[in-house]
């Protein structure tokens, strides 16, 4: 038998080699298919735990706190001042607002902060204003200070994405600008679960 390039035996040899190559690939592929690959990233259905937040809330940097009864407490002239209600707003300039007092006398506080307290961090205090007035009357006491040195508001984190947890760092001397009460110290201010406006 002659093995020519154009003869059937040559074509048969090529066909045979092609079949052998295909079988070798199939066997190698079959081996790979039989191997068990450990799932290092189980799906949500396997674990019952989702990898993404279901509520879509972005708390920003900082610790995630559990919600509490909102509170805002400061030390003013050596005594404790507690707010009954209030809120905070964030932005290039941020504000903490707190209101207290009674039905006959109102008390209001505004702390102005340089920086966006939507994020955790240490922010310089621009101003502290504490004002009192008899109900239905003009303000008769207004303690205030602008740019108190060494006074910062530290945002630790949030609950529910908008209830702020933070504290004042440093002591500010606030001076009465409408009456004759003189100057007192404003310090040790804490806000817990303070709501966003």
């Amino acid at each position: 038998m002659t093995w020519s390039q154009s003869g059937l035996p040559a074509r048969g040899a090529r066909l045979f080699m092609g079949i052998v190559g295909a079988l070798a690939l199939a066997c190698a592929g079959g081996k790979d298919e039989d191997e068990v690959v450990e799932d290092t990233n189980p799906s949500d259905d396997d674990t019952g735990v989702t990898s993404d937040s279901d509520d879509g809330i972005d708390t920003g940097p900082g610790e995630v706190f559990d919600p509490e009864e909102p509170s805002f407490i400061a030390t003013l002239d050596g005594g404790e001042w507690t707010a009954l209600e209030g809120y905070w707003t964030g932005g290039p300039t941020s504000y903490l607002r707190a209101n207290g007092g009674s039905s006959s006398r109102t008390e209001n506080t505004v702390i102005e902060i340089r920086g966006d307290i939507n994020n955790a961090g240490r922010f310089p205090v621009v101003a502290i204003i504490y004002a009192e007035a008899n109900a239905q009357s003009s303000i008769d006491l207004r303690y205030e200070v602008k740019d108190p040195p060494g006074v910062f508001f530290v945002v630790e984190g949030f609950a529910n994405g908008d209830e702020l947890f933070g504290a004042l760092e440093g002591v500010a001397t606030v001076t009465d600008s409408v009456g004759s009460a003189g100057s007192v110290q404003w310090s040790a201010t804490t806000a817990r679960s303070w709501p966003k406006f």
Side-chain angles (χ1 to χ4, degrees):
M1 182 181 290
T2 304
W3 293 89
S4 68
Q5 286 184 321
S6 61
L8 286 174
R11 277 191 292 229
R14 284 194 301 270
L15 180 60
F16 177 76
M17 292 304 292
I19 291 172
V20 168
L23 287 172
L25 288 174
C27 289
K31 183 178 181 183
D32 290 342
E33 289 172 2
D34 291 338
E35 288 180 4
V36 177
V37 177
E38 183 179 349
D39 187 359
T40 58
N41 188 16
S43 69
D44 295 341
D45 294 337
D46 294 337
T47 63
V49 177
T50 59
S51 58
D52 297 323
S53 175
D54 291 331
D55 54 21
I57 294 173
D58 179 14
T59 61
E63 188 174 346
V64 177
F65 288 88
D66 291 328
E68 297 180 7
E69 187 70 27
S71 64
F72 185 102
I73 302 170
T75 300
L76 176 62
D77 196 21
E80 186 177 279
W81 183 77
T82 302
L84 301 177
E85 60 184 9
Y87 59 91
W88 67 274
T89 56
T93 300
S94 300
Y95 296 90
L96 286 168
R97 300 179 188 272
N99 308 315
S102 63
S103 59
S104 61
R105 190 160 181 83
T106 61
E107 303 168 352
N108 301 294
T109 293
V110 177
I111 298 178
E112 184 179 342
I113 299 161
R114 184 178 298 111
D116 190 351
I117 62 174
N118 281 294
N119 300 297
R122 185 173 179 261
F123 303 93
V125 170
V126 176
I128 298 174
I129 301 169
Y130 169 86
E132 289 186 19
N134 286 324
Q136 309 300 321
S137 299
S138 60
I139 294 171
D140 54 27
L141 175 69
R142 182 184 170 99
Y143 286 121
E144 61 184 314
V145 62
K146 300 285 186 186
D147 296 311
V151 179
F152 297 87
F153 188 74
V154 180
V155 178
E156 300 169 65
F158 303 88
N160 293 333
D162 62 3
E163 296 176 20
L164 179 146
F165 286 71
L168 197 74
E169 180 182 277
V171 178
T173 300
V174 292
T175 304
D176 184 11
S177 61
V178 298
S180 58
S183 297
V184 296
Q185 304 297 302
W186 179 281
S187 64
T189 305
T190 59
R192 301 187 65 81
S193 273
W194 207 238
K196 189 172 185 179
F197 181 75

